[in-house]
Amino acid sequence: MAWQRKILRVDLTAGICTAEPLNMEWAAQYLGQRGLASKYLAEEMDPKADALSPENRLIFATGPLTGTAAPTGGRYSVITKGALTGAIACSNSGGYFGAELKLAGWDMIIFKGKAPKPVYLWIADDRAELRDAEGFIWGKSVWEAEALIKARHQDPQIKIASIGRAGENLVRYACVMNDLDRAAGRSGVGTVMGSKNLKAIAVRGTKGVAVEDPKAFLAAVTRARELLGASEVRDDLAKNGTQSMMDVTQAFGSLPTRNNRDVQFEGVEKLNAAAMATRRRTDGRANLITNKACFACTIGCGRVVRMDPTHFAAAGKDRYLTASGGLEYESGYALGPMVGVDDIDAATYANFVCNEQGMDPISFGSTVAAAMELYETGAITDAETGGIPYVFGSAEALVNAADLTGSGEGFGKDLGLGSKRLCEKYGHPEFAMVVKGQEFPGYDGRAMQGMALAYATSNRGACHLRADPYEDDFSGGKLEGKAKIVKTTEDQNTVVDATGLCAFTMMIWSLEEVASQLDAACEGDWTVERLRDTGERIWNLERRFNLAAGFTAADDTLPKRILKEAANSGSGKGKVAELSKMLPDYYEQRGWDPDGVPTTQTLQRLGIG
Amino acid sequence: MKVKVEFIAIERPKSGSADNGETIEVANGAAVSEALLSLNLGRTTSFLTLVNGDPVPPEERANTRLKEGDTLCLFRPLKGG
Ligand code: SF4
């Protein structure tokens, strides 16, 4: 129950779709979504294979609670070897696509090979077939492709996950987009999709999802929903989205600014939640129109926004003047302080282009920031940028970068490499604010030491969602306690990513609420303890994949800037990230040897063969 | 003595509380915990504190004395997303 017990295998090289029973033994050990798909990935591919080779697998996976009435139970993840990082990648998305896939009767889709010509996958409940994308949606943006697919199949209810031109052009941080502005955003999962000549998955599902004990499930869901409803945190998320964070990191001094040279940004008041809600002079409207929610979500943190119609970026481009998905904290930081830009409309425009062409705004913004530092030092000149001065604070450069990277033209080809490859190409690898090749989210590890450790140890490269050191960091917790907090919350966040629920629920719930809903929905006993063990099992499986792919303890590190150059303001003033003081403790907490390799005992304890 | 109060991502009751950026009067040498008591925080029970930008852990609020002109910042322990 809760699982549909069926996976769809798609051999893109041969053009064949086949149904197969879900491995329920693995489901009992790895639950679903991030966990179960990582197990299939690790079993089926050589971790050393190139991420862009046909040998890489691309897995779209739901969790057992996806498609149920559990609050936020609409999530799916894309699991693959990441094109940006070469590490195991798992990018999670909301919207409605994941639930629709589950309602069509599938737990998971596993793609292998490479289609000889561009294709899209069409699923109508049990029926699945590959269709020609050439001359139809190949070469189109995400927004255009969605409209064309819905028109061709004559059904506005179809849910679509697709890549934009960025994925087709193999921009290293291309996303898989769904429902126009939701993204499985990080690590280049859309790049892998592009390398397989797979443009889109369109799905229509009309079945239900059965749960083991409907009465108990309803009670657990009601309780979980009540907790959300009574929460002040929920109210803030609905009102301000995740953007409240910008005021917090600004006050704390952990807001990455100008490629992490600074940790506080003087232009925050032009970009923050209050700025989004303030009416502008030109047309009397605010950037923020309303909030919106994903499938079954009672939080509704999504932003629906509108640009200033008089802004230079949108001149003559009407498609950007309609309401669309707006800035959240991570995109807001990367398209604002990180590039030193305080122009909310330029940042909104760049975010629209990221959605339209399927690019991760975190990696994109951070790459533009690296390019600005390269320009400042003269490593990049007007010859590369086409005469546009790529200086910190330039809204023109940001808009230009979005246009060119989205379309794959001119300097956009360089920007599409991501920070690491770009900075290596121009002789300054130290300017890349990355871990394992993935750009930083919006937290500086000098004021937030737990986050520094979380970035360094994240299996998919720098990530703000892999662990939960926030409260301890923000309350000035001691260095000695960080390893345990990071390890414990990594396990917790990992298992939530395997359920079908949104990670944001954990701002309000504890694992108790997750366990009670899962236990009622699924066969077998799902206790908090079992969930923690499952999270730890998945984490170690991911680690093993990365080690087999060639990563070592030397990759559990941070850029020199964060390790050696002290923060210049805020609560971390005068401090660097003390990674070397935390990492040995972290390995010990994990049951790994000093080289960061899980010991035989640890693997046995977790039942990893 | 006077202390400036800042609220970040915290909902405050309509009355009885200082406005954002307002200066409040507290007893000379008051501890952070005492200053917090004088603010009507309504249903806000979970928050973190900074004094002049530096974090004061909850367990140290009773022992951390404020000085004239300090800035006390209260903010919600947000998590990223
Ligand atoms: S909390 Fe936000 S991201 Fe999560 S499911 Fe709800 S609307 Fe979507």
Side-chain angles (χ1 to χ4, degrees):
Chain A
M1 294 285 180
W3 294 277
Q4 300 288 31
R5 295 169 172 261
K6 200 168 71 158
I7 67 177
L8 175 62
R9 284 196 178 273
V10 181
D11 182 338
L12 289 162
T13 310
I16 297 170
C17 301
T18 40
E20 179 185 298
L22 185 72
N23 186 326
M24 290 308 294
E25 240 174 76
W26 289 355
Q29 276 194 303
Y30 292 94
L31 195 50
Q33 209 176 345
R34 175 173 170 187
L36 194 50
S38 296
K39 175 67 176 166
Y40 273 94
L41 186 81
E43 292 288 333
E44 293 190 12
M45 76 171 281
D46 175 1
K48 288 202 162 52
D50 189 286
L52 299 183
S53 72
E55 205 190 331
N56 196 0
R57 299 292 193 272
L58 181 72
I59 305 179
F60 285 68
T62 64
L65 294 179
T66 307
T68 70
T72 76
R75 312 291 300 191
Y76 78 99
S77 293
V78 182
I79 292 89
T80 186
K81 178 168 173 168
L84 183 67
T85 56
I88 194 164
C90 170
S91 290
N92 185 310
S93 183
Y96 290 78
F97 173 82
E100 194 79 9
L101 178 62
K102 186 83 175 280
L103 294 172
W106 305 97
D107 291 305
M108 207 184 275
I109 312 170
I110 304 179
F111 293 95
K112 72 170 187 180
K114 176 181 180 174
K117 284 201 295 190
V119 292
Y120 72 101
L121 177 66
W122 164 236
I123 300 172
D125 288 336
D126 296 324
R127 202 153 47 87
E129 58 197 43
L130 290 168
R131 300 259 182 115
D132 233 342
E134 209 161 49
F136 174 40
I137 48 174
W138 194 256
K140 305 287 185 195
S141 74
V142 167
W143 297 352
E144 291 164 333
E146 280 230 22
L148 285 164
I149 291 171
K150 285 179 177 170
R152 172 173 284 185
H153 290 271
Q154 290 286 294
D155 186 351
Q157 299 298 328
I158 291 170
K159 302 292 183 279
I160 296 157
S162 66
I163 54 168
R165 292 193 188 96
E168 293 180 19
N169 293 335
L170 305 183
V171 166
R172 285 280 168 173
Y173 43 83
C175 309
V176 174
M177 302 296 303
N178 59 278
D179 304 288
L180 298 176
D181 56 25
R182 304 305 309 182
R186 304 230 66 198
S187 312
V189 297
T191 325
V192 174
M193 190 158 162
S195 77
K196 296 191 173 305
N197 271 340
L198 176 64
K199 176 71 180 177
I201 303 168
V203 59
R204 186 72 181 96
T206 60
K207 304 179 181 200
V209 177
V211 293
E212 177 81 358
D213 182 343
K215 218 172 144 193
F217 185 64
L218 188 63
V221 164
T222 303
R223 163 97 187 115
R225 204 177 279 157
E226 280 169 0
L227 279 175
L228 296 179
S231 162
E232 196 189 1
V233 176
R234 192 218 76 97
D235 294 350
D236 185 51
L237 279 169
K239 185 174 166 220
N240 297 321
T242 51
Q243 264 290 52
S244 289
M245 182 63 93
M246 192 172 278
D247 293 320
V248 172
T249 51
Q250 167 74 356
F252 200 70
S254 57
L255 175 58
T257 300
R258 289 176 281 268
N259 209 30
N260 287 80
R261 288 200 309 211
D262 299 309
V263 291
Q264 289 176 312
F265 182 50
E266 62 285 354
V268 155
E269 282 172 11
K270 294 186 182 163
L271 295 166
N272 61 9
M276 285 179 76
T278 302
R279 289 176 190 273
R280 44 191 180 231
R281 285 214 192 100
T282 49
D283 64 350
R285 290 168 151 171
N287 178 274
L288 179 67
I289 301 170
T290 185
N291 69 326
K292 68 170 180 172
C294 304
F295 180 89
C297 176
T298 55
I299 299 173
C301 76
R303 304 291 88 188
V304 180
V305 305
R306 185 167 25 209
M307 278 187 70
D308 181 343
T310 66
H311 192 268
F312 77 88
K317 301 175 196 162
D318 286 353
R319 67 185 185 282
Y320 299 116
L321 295 181
T322 54
S324 196
L327 295 172
E328 300 176 6
Y329 173 63
E330 303 302 338
S331 48
Y333 122 79
L335 305 172
M338 190 62 167
V339 287
V341 170
D342 65 5
D343 179 336
I344 196 170
D345 287 291
T348 300
Y349 175 85
N351 193 50
F352 282 175
V353 175
C354 283
N355 289 339
E356 182 189 27
Q357 302 301 357
M359 305 190 287
D360 171 14
I362 303 178
S363 285
F364 165 73
S366 188
T367 302
V368 175
M372 287 172 166
E373 192 161 1
L374 288 166
Y375 185 89
E376 214 174 65
T377 58
I380 283 176
T381 66
D382 286 348
E384 281 83 26
T385 67
I388 308 261
Y390 266 59
V391 291
F392 286 111
S394 169
E396 288 75 15
L398 177 66
V399 165
N400 173 264
D403 286 339
L404 293 183
T405 312
S407 59
E409 293 161 18
F411 187 49
K413 291 200 190 81
D414 270 352
L415 293 170
L417 295 171
S419 313
K420 178 171 179 278
R421 290 173 174 86
L422 178 81
C423 292
E424 280 167 357
K425 178 173 174 179
Y426 289 100
H428 288 279
E430 72 279 12
F431 291 169
M433 294 301 117
V434 297
V435 172
K436 299 183 178 77
Q438 177 155 287
E439 289 78 6
F440 284 4
Y443 311 90
D444 191 287
R446 290 166 286 191
M448 297 175 71
Q449 298 283 335
M451 189 58 81
L453 180 63
Y455 280 5
T457 58
S458 161
N459 288 324
R460 71 168 183 178
C463 179
H464 59 294
L465 295 166
R466 283 325 190 230
D468 184 356
Y470 294 93
E471 185 159 356
D472 186 66
D473 278 352
F474 285 141
S475 58
K478 297 204 166 52
L479 215 53
E480 301 79 60
K482 300 288 182 191
K484 186 160 186 218
I485 288 168
V486 168
K487 186 265 177 196
T488 308
T489 57
E490 280 175 348
D491 292 347
Q492 174 170 306
N493 288 13
T494 302
V495 78
V496 172
D497 278 348
T499 59
L501 299 172
C502 176
F504 290 2
T505 55
M506 298 308 285
M507 297 192 203
I508 299 154
W509 295 344
S510 69
L511 268 187
E512 291 284 349
E513 281 70 46
V514 179
S516 62
Q517 293 178 86
L518 260 184
D519 193 49
C522 306
E523 59 258 50
D525 289 332
W526 288 94
T527 60
V528 168
E529 200 171 319
R530 183 170 173 194
L531 288 181
R532 289 197 193 287
D533 289 348
T534 305
E536 188 177 9
R537 182 175 301 117
I538 299 166
W539 191 272
N540 278 272
L541 182 85
E542 292 175 340
R543 177 75 176 184
R544 283 233 307 184
F545 184 97
N546 283 350
L547 292 171
F551 287 90
T552 67
D555 298 296
D556 297 336
T557 191
L558 294 161
K560 205 174 93 204
R561 176 159 294 164
I562 310 299
L563 292 174
K564 303 267 186 229
E565 297 171 22
N568 57 9
S569 70
S571 67
K573 187 173 180 183
K575 292 185 193 155
V576 296
E578 303 278 8
L579 188 61
S580 61
K581 292 190 184 148
M582 299 182 281
L583 202 54
D585 185 16
Y586 172 84
Y587 286 168
E588 209 176 305
Q589 298 277 343
R590 279 241 161 265
W592 296 353
D593 71 17
D595 293 324
V597 179
T599 63
T600 314
Q601 281 146 306
T602 299
L603 294 175
Q604 276 172 356
R605 174 170 61 78
L606 296 168
I608 300 176
Chain B
M1 66 180 185
K2 289 186 166 43
V3 172
K4 190 174 161 198
V5 188
E6 288 177 352
F7 297 91
I8 298 176
I10 283 185
E11 179 204 320
R12 279 157 296 123
K14 298 252 175 326
S15 62
S17 174
D19 275 337
N20 199 10
E22 198 176 297
T23 301
I24 59 164
E25 190 70 40
V26 293
N28 271 348
V32 171
S33 53
E34 288 163 335
L36 293 174
L37 272 180
S38 72
L39 297 167
N40 177 5
L41 292 170
R43 66 172 178 151
T44 300
T45 50
S46 175
F47 56 87
L48 301 173
T49 44
L50 302 174
V51 174
N52 302 331
D54 287 325
V56 178
E59 64 278 10
E60 286 173 25
R61 284 177 196 157
N63 303 326
T64 307
R65 304 270 150 206
L66 291 162
K67 297 187 307 300
E68 171 81 29
D70 277 353
T71 299
L72 172 64
C73 172
L74 278 67
F75 66 106
R76 194 201 310 286
L78 293 176
K79 298 178 189 186

